[in-house]
Amino acid sequence: MASWLCILNRDNFEVVKKKLVWGVALRHSGQLAKAKPGDKCAFYLIGEDSGNEFKSPSIGGILEIISDMYEDTSNIFPSKIRAGENYPYRVRLKPINIFKDELLFKPLIPILAFITNKKHYGGYLMGKAMRSIPDRDMKLISEYGEVLG
């Protein structure tokens, strides 16, 4: 089984948690097509300015893919990068560990193997909806997340 880091904002992560579905746009469908049932996904929540406060990049939880990719054009994801996007390429999920408190991402950077340039980690995430990560990194994220409950 493979491990993935899925990149999204907090509004769309709320949909992932409630509907147990992850979706990507056409331009990212090739990557999602590589994901298979049994693969684990850590959900990376991008840094966001919510008016009064900045929410730091973090991991919201870990879920497992339980379906092959399918197409569904229902408009369930509220936040879109491009007008008209509805992230129609989707997989069904089951929760492994939805963290009670978000796991801050920056303290993990020194120990994550997939990030080799520790000073410029953003390049490993920019322009992507998801990326494969070593199983070792998923294990570390999971272990740190277990502390959060």
Side-chain angles (χ1 to χ4, degrees):
M1 300 299 137
S3 296
W4 303 92
L5 189 68
C6 299
I7 303 153
L8 72 172
N9 61 43
R10 285 164 178 82
D11 289 341
N12 287 350
F13 186 58
E14 288 302 313
V15 173
V16 167
K17 291 189 301 185
K18 288 178 185 159
K19 299 201 178 270
L20 298 176
V21 170
W22 164 241
V24 301
L26 173 63
R27 66 188 174 282
H28 301 295
S29 61
Q31 195 67 43
L32 184 58
K34 295 176 186 175
K36 302 294 177 217
D39 290 358
K40 291 181 181 162
C41 300
F43 282 84
Y44 172 90
L45 311 178
I46 61 173
E48 297 176 277
D49 189 352
S50 63
N52 311 30
E53 71 174 307
F54 178 76
K55 293 193 175 188
S56 295
S58 61
I59 304 289
I62 300 172
L63 292 94
E64 181 180 327
I65 295 174
I66 60 169
S67 75
D68 289 321
M69 186 177 76
Y70 63 96
E71 191 171 349
D72 179 351
T73 59
S74 60
N75 195 14
I76 62 171
F77 294 101
S79 185
K80 296 158 179 51
I81 292 174
R82 296 183 181 161
E85 275 185 333
N86 60 11
Y87 309 119
Y89 299 94
R90 301 178 182 174
V91 291
R92 288 183 187 86
L93 305 164
K94 76 173 183 183
I96 294 174
N97 188 1
I98 305 294
F99 305 149
K100 186 178 80 164
D101 297 312
E102 295 174 4
L103 175 62
L104 292 176
F105 188 74
K106 287 185 181 177
L108 297 173
I109 293 170
I111 61 171
L112 294 174
F114 85 93
I115 299 174
T116 55
N117 184 339
K118 306 297 184 183
K119 289 185 181 180
H120 302 288
Y121 78 93
Y124 298 91
L125 308 171
M126 280 185 139
K128 295 176 175 49
M130 62 191 297
R131 64 156 298 136
S132 64
I133 62 173
D135 291 338
R136 170 198 176 277
D137 286 355
M138 181 62 75
K139 185 175 188 289
L140 287 168
I141 292 168
S142 181
E143 288 170 356
Y144 278 84
E146 284 177 17
V147 174
L148 297 175

